Amino acid sequence: MNVTRRQTFMLGAGAVAFATLGSQATIAFASEESDKLIAEFSGGKEATAGKIKLKAPEIAENGNTVPISFTVDSPMTADNHVASVMLLALGNPGPAVGTFNFTPMSGEAAASTRIRLAKTQEVLAMAKMSDGSIFMDKKTVKVTIGGCGG
Amino acid sequence: MAKSKPRVKVPKKAAKGDIITIKTLISHKMESGRRKDKKTGELIPRKIINHFKVEFNGAEVFSANLEPSVSANPYMQFKAKVTESGTFKFTWTDDDGSVYSTEKKIAVE
């Protein structure tokens, strides 16, 4: 195949454009499925950083069981509390990990659990407050041995 | 499959208004539905605990929808604010419809 100088240049420009787009997409969110889950959870609202704190190990030796915990800063009263928190493992074949629903009786919106991570990836936690506002936090976890089997 | 045995840790006593920590664990394989049988090469069907609920004296305190990305033997730790003595009820729901549950009493002074 003959590639002219002009075509080469255009290819290069295209690649650069694609790369920028791509990296932006990963900053925002990884895959289509997680995009969908996030949209469903947030109701299309923009997520802001803060309030929620995700705790995850920097390096997980075994991806089959990675301890994850989060806390959300909230007074947890009847009209101002955390309604739910969604956890996503952005690099898993199925990104959804779980949704945790809180009530004012929780006293404090905090939970820990153990999750599977297929490979090194970002874990995202998103909190929905009773007034509908959305907060999120992200952590990258390096995985030495993948979970999820198969 | 092995029976799923829930284990729950709730403090026996607490002061009124205290926020207590509850730890729960249930033995369950949490088959993700993505693993293949080594011999036949066929996918092992998904079988996980998809819902977990905690009630205190009948009112919901905490619940969680779980997905295959949760580890085997799902472990949950969370908080609850207690204002009166009563009973915590924990319920796990399996994909196949089975329900595992257990109860724990707490005395509040």
Side-chain angles (χ1 to χ4, degrees):
Chain A
M1 198 175 85
N2 277 330
V3 182
T4 62
R5 248 173 63 115
R6 177 169 298 185
Q7 277 168 339
T8 322
F9 175 70
M10 280 173 56
L11 265 174
V16 170
F18 185 76
T20 355
L21 261 178
S23 64
Q24 265 172 1
T26 27
I27 290 168
F29 304 112
S31 72
E32 248 173 64
E33 201 180 336
S34 20
D35 266 352
K36 211 181 94 197
L37 289 165
I38 288 164
E40 260 170 39
F41 182 79
S42 64
K45 264 204 179 165
E46 201 66 33
T48 27
K51 289 220 177 188
I52 182 161
K53 253 212 176 100
L54 179 67
K55 226 173 106 188
E58 243 171 68
I59 297 173
E61 274 178 19
N62 181 359
N64 270 313
T65 160
V66 184
I68 296 278
S69 61
F70 60 84
T71 49
V72 192
D73 181 24
S74 160
M76 295 305 275
T77 56
D79 27 291
N80 182 6
H81 62 269
V82 180
S84 46
V85 171
M86 179 175 69
L87 285 182
L88 293 180
L90 299 180
N92 272 5
V97 175
T99 316
F100 304 83
N101 307 310
F102 297 94
T103 62
M105 275 174 78
S106 305
E108 206 180 306
S112 350
T113 184
R114 294 176 190 149
I115 69 170
R116 288 175 174 141
L117 295 176
K119 54 177 186 198
T120 298
Q121 58 179 282
E122 281 187 314
V123 178
L124 182 143
M126 217 173 211
K128 180 156 54 181
M129 304 305 194
S130 51
D131 65 0
S133 54
I134 307 284
F135 295 92
M136 63 167 232
D137 193 13
K138 267 203 277 202
K139 282 272 148 67
T140 304
V141 182
K142 272 194 182 154
V143 176
T144 330
I145 308 167
C148 292
Chain B
M1 107 146 247
K3 247 197 258 159
S4 292
K5 191 176 154 234
R7 273 182 282 168
V8 172
K9 218 173 191 175
V10 178
K12 285 200 178 72
K13 278 195 286 189
K16 198 176 169 178
D18 265 6
I19 294 174
I20 58 165
T21 301
I22 298 176
K23 294 176 181 175
T24 73
L25 187 125
I26 185 164
S27 50
H28 195 283
K29 270 176 104 175
M30 298 293 274
E31 197 57 69
S32 66
R34 292 182 189 272
R35 241 157 43 99
K36 280 182 181 150
D37 190 310
K38 276 191 185 127
K39 279 181 204 141
T40 60
E42 273 171 38
L43 276 181
I44 304 171
R46 177 185 131 152
K47 185 178 184 298
I48 66 164
I49 285 176
N50 55 42
H51 194 72
F52 172 57
K53 190 168 78 173
V54 183
E55 289 158 301
F56 183 65
N57 291 346
E60 186 180 313
V61 177
F62 174 82
S63 73
N65 300 315
L66 306 178
E67 304 284 344
S69 288
V70 174
S71 297
N73 305 332
Y75 165 82
M76 291 280 153
Q77 186 196 313
F78 51 89
K79 311 261 186 184
K81 191 175 182 175
V82 284
T83 47
E84 52 177 348
S85 299
T87 315
F88 280 101
K89 189 176 182 219
F90 306 86
T91 319
W92 290 262
T93 315
D94 197 310
D95 269 350
D96 68 7
S98 349
V99 171
Y100 318 104
S101 72
T102 185
E103 288 184 4
K104 275 272 155 56
K105 279 199 171 77
I106 183 166
V108 173
E109 286 142 10

